[in-house]
């Protein structure tokens, strides 16, 4: 009883505070509208500022306080980069002077951010992010292109920049710093040139950036950062794989695949493992994208560009890996139903692809039908809807494949077998739905 009374009291207090907040918000709007009316001499007293002035104020506020800063710092950094590239192409400045100018630009932006931090914190944050992106790029270029630093010195500097950027992002408490710094760190090197000869250094650099991003993403709950880092990193790796990968890059490719996959998997599970929070839809989306990227990267690295011969075994291997992932998730995290469903569906898709890549003709049709039946029986036995729905979907795909692709290739006997088997199984599924509809529709766990 005491708990119930306490809950009622807290609810009343919350309702009262919410009502007060609405009142003060309305009062604030009225005062702002009155201020706008007094400042604008052309507005007549009988005009209502609600629909016009306030909306214009909100739009101008968004553009002036948010958009202009972001666009300005990006355009400035791009301009500096293009200017340096022009000077390099025209041989107007020496290599040492190029690096000195680039560092000077970053330091000036940094000093300005410090000077403006007290009064203009958001503007200061934008300047700071541009400064750190510039310093990242300059250190990377000085080491890779000009050899001014040793490997140890260059990566020590970039490690220091990563740690300091993370620290300042926490102090500013603004995700914009991290996002802009991330964009600069990933993207600015491409404004100079692509370094295809030292790809191991480039991806080591990307991993270093990712560590700082993943830490911030967890510390401040900035999940957008983690997802952007995942998409950017895997995109860079896959594009490199399609365009530049050679067989002698195999060992290096395997190492980077393992590191990328491990970093972003841990990032998705970090809140669950450390804070005991349930996985969100965005976490599960990140795990799904990570698995897709793993599959594509494995095709590139293990296939050596010959997807036809290696397609089936690679697909089967990744399918087994995702199946083990699903089983482990079910054992360790039994409450994460959506995660289990997602991993299981990915396994079904990969197994279906493996069957399609490894065999052909009537055998593929029959194996897909067998897999669909297995899923349906599993769904009824475990009172789960997703395996039954997956079975129906797979059966539909099998029927579509039979009608669209196989009818012109199968012999008469093969067509007879395929149509009879699929038709009989569809009727059997329909009968089972009719017979066990109460158990199926009202006894499911999901």
């Amino acid at each position: 009883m005491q708990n119930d009374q306490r809950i009622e009291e807290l609810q009343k207090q919350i309702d009262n505070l919410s009502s007060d907040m609405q009142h003060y918000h309305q009062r604030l709007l009225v005062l702002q509208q009155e201020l706008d009316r007094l400042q604008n001499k052309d507005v007549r007293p009988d005009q209502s500022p609600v629909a016009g002035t306030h909306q214009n104020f909100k739009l101008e506020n968004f553009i002036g306080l948010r958009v202009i800063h972001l666009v300005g710092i990006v355009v400035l950094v791009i301009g500096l980069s293009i200017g340096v590239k022009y000077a390099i192409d025209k041989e107007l400045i020496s290599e040492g002077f190029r690096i000195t100018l680039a560092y000077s630009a970053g330091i000036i932006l940094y000093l300005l951010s410090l000077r403006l931090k007290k009064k203009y914190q958001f503007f200061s944050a934008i300047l700071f992010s541009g400064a750190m992106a510039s310093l990242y790029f300059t250190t990377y270029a000085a080491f890779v292109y000009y050899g001014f630093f040793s490997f140890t010195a260059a990566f020590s500097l970039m490690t220091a920049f990563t740690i300091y950027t993370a620290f300042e992002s926490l102090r500013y408490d603004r995700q914009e710093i991290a996002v802009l710094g991330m964009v600069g760190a990933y993207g600015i090197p491409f404004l100079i040139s692509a370094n295809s000869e030292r790809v191991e250094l480039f991806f080591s650099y990307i991993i270093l950036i990712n560590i700082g991003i993943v830490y911030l993403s967890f510390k401040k709950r900035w999940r957008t950062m983690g997802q952007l880092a995942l998409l950017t990193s895997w995109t860079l790796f896959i594009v490199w794989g399609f365009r530049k990968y050679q067989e002698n890059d195999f060992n290096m490719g395997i190492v980077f695949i393992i590191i990328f996959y491990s970093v972003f998997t841990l990032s998705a599970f970090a809140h669950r493992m450390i804070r005991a929070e349930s996985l969100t839809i965005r976490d599960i989306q990140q795990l799904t994208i990570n698995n897709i990227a793993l599959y594509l990267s494995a095709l590139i690295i293990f296939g050596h560009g010959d997807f036809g011969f290696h397609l089936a075994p690679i697909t089967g291997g990744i399918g087994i890996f995702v199946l083990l992932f699903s089983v482990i998730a079910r054992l360790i995290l039994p409450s994460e139903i959506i995660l289990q469903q997602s991993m299981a569906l990915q396994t079904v898709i990969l197994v279906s692809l493996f069957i399609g890549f490894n065999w052909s003709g009537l055998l593929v049709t029959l194996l897909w039908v067998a897999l669909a039946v297995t899923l349906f029986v599993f769904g009824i036995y475990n009172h789960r809807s997703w395996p039954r729905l997956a079975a129906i979907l797979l059966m539909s795909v099998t029927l579509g494949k039979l009608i669209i692709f196989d009818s012109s290739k199968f012999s008469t006997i093969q067509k007879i077998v395929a149509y009879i088997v699929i038709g009989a199984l569809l009727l059997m599924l329909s009968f089972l739905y009719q017979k066990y509809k109460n158990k199926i529709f009202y006894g499911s766990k999901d």
Side-chain angles (χ1 to χ4, degrees):
M1 291 297 293
Q2 292 180 351
N3 287 338
D4 292 340
Q5 292 176 354
R6 181 58 178 163
I7 290 172
E8 291 179 359
E9 291 175 1
L10 291 173
Q11 188 61 53
K12 288 179 181 179
Q13 292 179 18
I14 291 172
D15 292 339
N16 291 335
L17 289 172
S18 177
S19 177
D20 291 342
M21 287 176 64
Q22 293 177 3
H23 170 75
Y24 287 128
H25 179 68
Q26 293 173 357
R27 180 63 178 161
L28 178 63
L29 290 179
V30 171
L31 292 174
Q32 183 63 61
Q33 292 162 8
E34 180 66 11
L35 177 62
D36 292 340
R37 188 185 67 80
L38 293 174
Q39 289 178 340
N40 190 345
K41 304 302 183 182
D42 296 329
V43 177
R44 297 191 305 272
D46 58 342
Q47 282 185 307
S48 173
V50 175
T53 305
H54 182 60
Q55 293 298 326
N56 292 337
F57 171 78
K58 288 170 62 178
L59 177 61
E60 185 177 4
N61 178 287
F62 174 74
I63 294 174
L65 298 181
R66 300 283 178 177
V67 177
I68 292 178
H69 295 82
L70 297 173
V71 174
I73 193 65
V74 172
V75 171
L76 175 62
V77 174
I78 290 175
L80 290 172
S81 300
I82 294 174
V84 172
K85 186 177 187 301
Y86 176 81
I88 293 173
D89 293 340
K90 299 297 183 179
E91 298 183 353
L92 300 178
I93 55 177
S94 64
E95 293 180 350
F97 196 48
R98 298 169 196 172
I99 299 302
T100 301
L101 283 178
Y103 271 125
S104 298
I107 292 171
I108 289 172
L109 287 176
Y110 174 70
L111 293 176
L112 283 174
S113 74
L114 292 182
R115 185 169 182 80
L116 298 174
K117 185 174 182 180
K118 276 191 177 181
K119 291 185 177 181
Y120 308 100
Q121 189 181 51
F122 180 70
F123 185 57
S124 171
I126 299 298
L127 292 178
F128 174 80
S129 61
M132 298 313 296
S134 177
L135 294 176
Y136 266 123
F137 153 69
T138 303
T139 304
Y140 173 81
F143 167 57
V144 174
Y145 299 116
Y146 306 122
F148 282 3
F149 298 129
S150 66
F151 179 88
T152 302
F155 272 80
S156 296
L157 278 173
M158 286 193 285
T159 301
F161 292 150
T162 300
I163 295 172
Y164 185 62
T165 302
F167 175 72
E168 286 296 324
S169 297
L170 296 175
R171 290 183 61 190
Y172 277 100
D173 195 23
R174 305 205 70 99
Q175 188 170 190
E176 292 91 342
I177 294 179
V179 171
L180 279 180
M182 180 182 71
V183 170
Y186 283 135
I188 291 177
F190 295 101
L191 296 174
I192 299 298
S193 87
N195 187 19
S196 58
E197 296 180 359
R198 304 298 302 275
V199 68
E200 73 284 359
L201 300 180
F202 177 74
F203 284 121
S204 298
Y205 162 83
I206 294 297
I207 289 170
L208 181 63
I209 302 300
N210 286 341
I211 292 172
I213 291 172
V214 166
Y215 171 75
L216 283 178
S217 176
F218 169 75
K219 184 71 175 180
K220 302 298 293 183
R221 302 178 187 274
W222 293 339
R223 283 183 166 90
T224 299
M225 285 181 53
Q227 291 185 333
L228 287 174
L230 177 146
L231 291 172
T232 304
S233 301
W234 279 119
T235 299
L236 291 173
F237 186 85
I238 291 170
V239 169
W240 164 78
F242 275 115
R243 296 182 60 186
K244 301 291 185 180
Y245 175 73
Q246 302 293 330
E247 288 192 22
N248 56 1
D249 296 325
F250 178 80
N251 292 333
M252 179 190 67
I254 293 296
V255 170
F256 285 126
I257 284 179
I258 293 173
I259 294 175
F260 281 161
Y261 187 83
S262 300
V263 167
F264 294 119
T265 299
L266 292 174
S267 172
F269 279 111
H271 295 279
R272 184 68 175 83
M273 294 186 298
I274 299 175
R275 293 175 175 157
E277 299 175 356
S278 297
L279 293 174
T280 66
I281 295 298
R282 297 183 70 176
D283 293 330
I284 295 172
Q285 288 174 346
Q286 180 168 324
L287 290 169
T288 301
I289 295 172
N290 208 26
N291 284 341
I292 294 172
L294 174 68
Y295 176 56
L296 294 175
S297 300
L299 287 175
I300 294 170
I301 300 301
F302 288 96
H304 303 298
D306 184 10
F307 295 156
F309 180 75
H310 296 89
L311 202 55
I314 293 172
T315 303
I318 298 297
I320 293 172
F321 174 79
V322 176
L323 175 61
L324 292 174
F325 196 129
S326 177
V327 172
I328 293 171
R330 184 179 176 86
L331 294 175
I332 298 178
L333 304 172
S335 62
E336 298 292 348
I337 303 299
I338 298 178
L339 171 65
Q340 297 167 23
Q341 292 177 0
S342 175
M343 294 297 110
L345 284 172
Q346 291 173 45
T347 302
V348 171
I349 292 172
L350 288 167
V351 170
S352 301
L353 290 175
F354 169 73
I355 291 172
F357 294 147
N358 200 50
W359 291 286
S360 61
L362 181 62
L363 183 57
V364 172
T365 301
L366 296 178
L367 288 174
W368 278 2
V369 168
L371 178 59
V373 171
T374 303
L375 287 171
F376 193 83
V377 172
F378 175 80
I380 292 179
Y381 181 77
N382 288 278
H383 308 292
R384 296 189 181 277
S385 62
W386 71 263
R388 301 193 298 266
L389 294 174
I392 293 173
L393 178 61
L394 182 56
M395 193 72 75
S396 301
V397 171
T398 305
L399 181 59
K401 171 180 174 294
L402 176 62
I403 295 173
I404 298 172
F405 299 104
D406 296 338
S407 293
S408 61
K409 300 177 182 178
F410 281 4
S411 66
T412 303
I413 299 298
Q414 288 177 324
K415 291 180 186 178
I416 293 171
V417 172
Y419 276 105
I420 289 177
V421 169
I422 293 176
L425 285 174
L426 288 174
L427 290 175
M428 184 183 72
L429 296 184
S430 176
F431 172 75
L432 291 175
Y433 267 112
Q434 296 293 326
K435 183 175 182 180
Y436 299 107
K437 59 183 178 181
N438 291 330
K439 183 177 181 180
I440 290 175
F441 294 113
Y442 302 107
S444 291
K445 296 179 182 179
D446 53 3

